[in-house]
Amino acid sequence: MTTKYSDLALADPLKRAVADMGYETMTPIQAQAIPVVLAGQDVMGAAQTGTGKTAAFSLPLLQRLLKHETASLSPARHPVRALVLLPTRELAVQVADQVKQYAKYTQLRSAVVFGGMDMKPQTAELRQGVEVLVATPGRLLDHIEAKTAVLNQVEYVVLDEADRMLDIGFLPDLQRILNYLPKQRTTLLFSATFSPEIKRLAESYLQNPVLIEVARPNATASTVEQHFYLLDDDDKRRAIRQVLKDKQLRQAFVFCNSKLGTARLARALERDGLKTTALHGDKSQDERLKSLEAFKAGEVDLLVATDVAARGLDIKDVPAVFNYDVPFHAEDYVHRIGRTGRAGASGVAVTLVTRGDQRLMGELEKLLKTKIELEHLEFDGERPHGRANDGRRRWQDHETGDSRDEARRVRGERRAPPPRPAASAPVDPFFSQPYTAETDAEQAPPAWDTPQRPRTGRSANIKPKRAVAALFKAPAPTP
DNA sequence: AAAAAAC
């Protein structure tokens, strides 16, 4: 198989554009997909992000458009010949930029349409006529209804990040769009991950697709060093700072599961003295683009984001990714940590795990087909207990500054828990037991699926699933 | 327990 761009049957303008970008050797997905697309076949491609997917479909697609010129169509009819659909606005911008690069020496015109921006400039551009349209679903439907996008002559459709495009939230819009397209067309479908259900659904949109798989699907880049730290919610922010310091990391992405959580965490980290920006879907498009630019320009240390930033975003040199929350969907873990260690660079992925994340961690182990070892993070100095992570001041003795538990112990109250362990020894949050160097030496952090207590007496009657789940519950407070 | 995509 040829792996050099110079060996490909690409038109001269495309070869020049590729050379301008300094590309000589194709990546595996490119080497496999380009000949197939050039041959006009449907593709179902599984490839991790950062492997050159965009070039893998845009180059052969542009080549096909050049080769089969639809001659003498009036520009007033502005037929779109190739449509590329993406699940986020940022991705649409990114892919559109690349398509423009590859097409710059050809007569082919491209445009990008997405929401959150004035429709008028987009409409004007579409009226000029474009051969390649890059879009997010919602805004594209607006343009279809306004008759500014005419899709009845589309020859190629690309669904990038297809697993997301086919999920329940996007499917109705996607279905409506596909109904506007001719049945006779080439469909290219790419995703980093393929669940069995998505695979089945995807197949219903394709005709005799060629399956291309360059890495094991759902695999994570081997250049990424992954850690899972088991800790309390209260210690999460401190853990981020500790890891940044230990590993000498300049910048990082921090992922949260909710928009509100993202905004809150960004503010809190800012108070901690880190330059931080937030990115989520409730921000205006202008703010979203600015956040991303500030991170790219190195003006901020941390980009705190929802999963809007999990997929496909190609930012060079993101040295680390933190999962402040364990992602709801295991596949999103793969996408999130795919932001680091791109194009062969090394990266660090740190997931902050709490006791409540048992189920999600189980799903992650299933997806990654590996047993996840939980680690304890060594904090410099004392374990923090001055503030809860919601910002409220915790109870403290006025004079000594002791915690409530410590004060009770000093007063000799019966119900006071054992003294806090030595300053630097981390507490095992699993069982809220003192955590000492000796126990640490022999006792690895507990595995998720290993029952830690013998099931005897009453608990033997509980269904196994519940019994294991019970282990993750904090011991009930004695009345 | 959520996010994204349209006004």
Side-chain angles (χ1 to χ4, degrees):
Chain A
M1 192 194 305
T2 171
T3 56
K4 291 261 182 262
Y5 271 109
S6 50
D7 296 339
L8 281 177
L10 290 178
D12 208 48
L14 295 177
K15 282 195 168 168
R16 270 161 59 209
V18 169
D20 276 6
M21 297 174 85
Y23 298 156
E24 283 173 23
T25 311
M26 289 186 276
T27 65
I29 183 79
Q30 290 161 1
Q32 290 189 53
I34 291 177
V36 174
V37 180
L38 284 175
Q41 287 187 271
D42 280 8
V43 166
M44 168 139 56
Q48 297 169 44
T49 50
T51 53
K53 249 190 298 177
T54 310
F57 63 76
S58 20
L59 283 169
L61 193 143
L62 292 168
Q63 171 66 28
R64 296 277 298 188
L65 295 183
L66 282 175
K67 197 173 169 200
H68 306 280
E69 289 284 9
T70 37
S72 72
L73 273 169
S74 144
R77 292 189 53 204
H78 44 78
V80 174
R81 299 181 58 198
L83 178 64
V84 183
L85 292 172
L86 296 130
T88 73
R89 298 167 183 175
E90 282 77 7
L91 278 178
V93 171
Q94 186 179 292
V95 167
D97 282 348
Q98 282 200 55
V99 169
K100 270 226 154 62
Q101 288 285 317
Y102 296 132
K104 68 180 172 180
Y105 295 123
T106 74
Q107 300 293 309
L108 297 168
R109 295 156 299 179
S110 62
V112 57
V113 299
F114 54 92
M117 305 277 276
D118 194 358
M119 277 194 73
K120 286 194 202 102
Q122 297 178 358
T123 301
E125 206 176 2
L126 288 174
R127 285 198 197 286
Q128 298 290 311
V130 297
E131 282 75 28
V132 183
L133 182 58
V134 181
T136 50
R139 180 54 66 90
L140 179 62
L141 281 167
D142 280 353
H143 282 293
I144 291 172
E145 274 151 26
K147 304 246 190 284
T148 47
V150 177
L151 301 182
N152 58 12
Q153 295 186 53
V154 165
E155 300 156 50
Y156 299 88
V157 62
V158 181
L159 304 181
D160 203 357
E161 301 298 337
D163 53 343
R164 179 48 43 107
M165 301 295 291
L166 296 174
D167 93 7
I168 199 75
F170 271 112
L171 198 55
D173 278 358
L174 186 69
Q175 193 63 60
R176 280 178 65 206
I177 291 167
L178 293 179
N179 280 341
Y180 284 100
L181 307 182
K183 286 254 169 337
Q184 200 57 49
R185 58 156 199 265
T186 302
T187 305
L188 313 175
L189 200 142
F190 292 94
S191 188
T193 56
F194 274 106
S195 66
E197 307 85 66
I198 292 296
K199 199 164 185 174
R200 221 177 313 118
L201 191 56
E203 274 164 355
S204 71
Y205 294 104
L206 300 164
Q207 290 178 9
N208 306 318
V210 176
L211 266 79
I212 297 173
E213 203 174 285
V214 296
R216 208 181 83 230
N218 302 341
T220 51
S222 56
T223 52
V224 177
E225 171 191 337
Q226 298 176 61
H227 294 283
F228 294 85
Y229 293 120
L230 184 57
L231 33 67
D232 288 342
D233 256 321
D234 294 4
D235 292 337
K236 283 186 172 183
R237 256 161 54 209
R238 195 159 181 255
I240 291 175
R241 283 182 287 149
Q242 186 71 49
V243 172
L244 289 174
K245 184 177 159 236
D246 289 349
K247 299 197 183 289
Q248 295 285 301
L249 299 163
R250 199 178 43 82
Q251 274 190 312
F253 270 26
V254 182
F255 283 104
C256 294
N257 282 354
S258 75
K259 290 184 275 198
L260 188 62
T262 300
R264 274 195 197 135
L265 179 62
R267 278 198 302 274
L269 288 168
E270 191 77 32
R271 279 200 303 272
D272 290 346
L274 288 158
K275 275 188 259 165
T276 305
T277 185
L279 177 61
H280 57 77
D282 276 354
K283 290 196 139 199
S284 74
Q285 195 52 37
D286 194 45
E287 288 173 307
R288 280 167 64 163
L289 295 172
K290 273 190 187 139
S291 280
L292 214 51
E293 285 311 313
F295 187 84
K296 280 190 191 172
E299 290 159 18
V300 296
D301 308 316
L302 300 176
L303 180 79
V304 184
T306 59
D307 282 322
V308 69
R311 285 161 183 266
L313 279 190
D314 194 12
I315 299 183
K316 289 191 175 52
D317 307 324
V318 180
V321 166
F322 288 91
N323 291 309
Y324 188 84
D325 298 320
V326 178
F328 283 127
H329 291 310
E331 308 91 67
D332 284 330
Y333 175 81
V334 181
H335 290 288
R336 287 177 176 188
I337 77 163
R339 296 315 98 218
T340 187
R342 295 175 73 73
S346 66
V348 177
V350 170
T351 302
L352 306 179
V353 184
T354 60
R355 183 163 34 211
D357 296 324
Q358 180 205 12
R359 193 181 61 77
L360 296 176
M361 290 301 291
E363 281 173 20
L364 190 53
E365 284 190 327
K366 229 191 298 170
L367 180 82
L368 300 178
K369 297 191 177 77
T370 175
K371 193 168 186 62
I372 294 172
E373 295 297 333
L374 297 169
E375 302 166 63
H376 290 289
L377 181 63
E378 293 289 331
F379 286 108
D380 291 343
E382 225 176 326
R383 192 168 165 278
H385 55 274
R387 274 177 186 277
N389 73 336
D390 57 6
R392 275 178 307 161
R393 194 138 196 94
R394 282 182 177 177
W395 190 93
Q396 275 187 337
D397 187 278
H398 289 301
E399 279 160 31
T400 63
D402 280 343
S403 70
R404 186 197 300 261
D405 291 346
E406 181 65 10
R408 275 186 179 155
R409 200 185 62 80
V410 169
R411 290 202 302 271
E413 284 179 22
R414 279 250 246 61
R415 278 184 39 238
R420 222 165 237 293
S424 60
V427 165
D428 181 347
F430 247 87
F431 303 110
S432 304
Q433 277 166 3
Y435 187 80
T436 64
E438 293 93 79
T439 57
D440 191 26
E442 317 144 2
Q443 215 176 296
W448 295 101
D449 55 356
T450 314
Q452 298 294 312
R453 295 176 202 159
R455 267 187 237 127
T456 53
R458 261 181 55 178
S459 63
N461 297 328
I462 304 174
K463 285 181 191 148
K465 212 170 150 193
R466 290 223 24 181
V468 175
L471 294 177
F472 290 81
K473 295 237 171 70
T478 35

